[in-house]
Amino acid sequence: MPQDLLLRPGTAEDLPALAALHLRVRDAAYPLMPRRVHDDADVTAWVAGWDLLHSEVWVAEAARAPVGYARIHEDWLEDLYVDPDAAGQGVGSALLDLVRARRPGGFGLWVFVSNTRAIGFYRHHGLVEVTRTDGAGNEEREPDIHMAWPGATG
């Protein structure tokens, strides 16, 4: 993990940088993740429209720049993205630990079947597979897996 890693709540001022990060991660993740179906402008507008009153966005920062983020809505981890240059350095684990602390009763997420790296990461951190789909319900029309963290025990 970067020594100067800071996890902090995201603000509206962070959204343009998070949109750029999202685009960078998605493009670098191909072919583990399918190609994007939205252009840069659409993704930037989508991120700019995130409702920070009803969703939590957490920014992972190193050297005063975002290197990852997590977005939680109710009991769903909607996004967890780490800059390709920071991958394998503990940023994703730190964000996931934060999500587990914020949602001690458990949460779910969706991951593409093709994203074997993410599936392995989530399994390593105690998430379990709930169900698989043929992808008919997502924009990319790619098979995906609903995974869940069952929550803290004891």
Side-chain angles (χ1 to χ4, degrees), residues 137-150:
N138 65 52
E139 292 180 314
E140 293 85 354
R141 301 293 185 246
E142 292 289 332
D144 55 5
I145 301 172
H146 170 202
M147 297 185 78
W149 181 62

Side-chain angles (χ1 to χ4, degrees), residues 61-136:
E61 229 177 47
R64 297 189 179 188
V67 293
Y69 78 89
R71 184 170 62 100
I72 317 162
H73 180 73
E74 296 176 355
D75 60 353
W76 285 95
L77 175 55
E78 299 287 350
D79 301 298
L80 193 156
Y81 285 85
V82 174
D83 190 293
D85 292 337
Q89 298 177 27
V91 174
S93 295
L95 284 165
L96 191 59
D97 286 347
L98 182 137
V99 172
R100 287 192 296 209
R102 302 291 300 167
R103 296 296 185 273
F107 60 88
L109 60 85
W110 288 97
V111 61
F112 292 109
V113 169
S114 59
N115 196 349
T116 54
R117 183 174 178 189
I119 293 166
F121 169 80
Y122 290 128
R123 284 186 177 145
H124 174 77
H125 288 280
L127 280 78
V128 296
E129 183 176 323
V130 177
T131 190
R132 289 179 180 238
T133 79
D134 63 3

Side-chain angles (χ1 to χ4, degrees), residues 8 14 16-18 21 24 59-69 83 86:
R8 62 170 179 78
D14 293 312
L18 297 184
L21 177 62
R24 212 169 33 255
V59 178
E61 229 177 47
R64 297 189 179 188
V67 293
Y69 78 89
D83 190 293

Side-chain angles (χ1 to χ4, degrees), residues 4 30 35 42 94 107 114:
D4 62 344
Y30 180 81
R35 292 195 191 279
D42 286 345
F107 60 88
S114 59

Side-chain angles (χ1 to χ4, degrees), residues 15-30 33-48 50 69 79 81-84:
L15 297 180
L18 297 184
L21 177 62
H22 181 95
L23 290 166
R24 212 169 33 255
V25 172
R26 281 298 305 260
D27 291 344
Y30 180 81
M33 292 180 73
R35 292 195 191 279
R36 293 187 281 123
V37 297
H38 297 284
D39 65 19
D40 292 6
D42 286 345
V43 171
T44 300
W46 169 67
V47 173
W50 286 351
Y69 78 89
D79 301 298
Y81 285 85
V82 174
D83 190 293

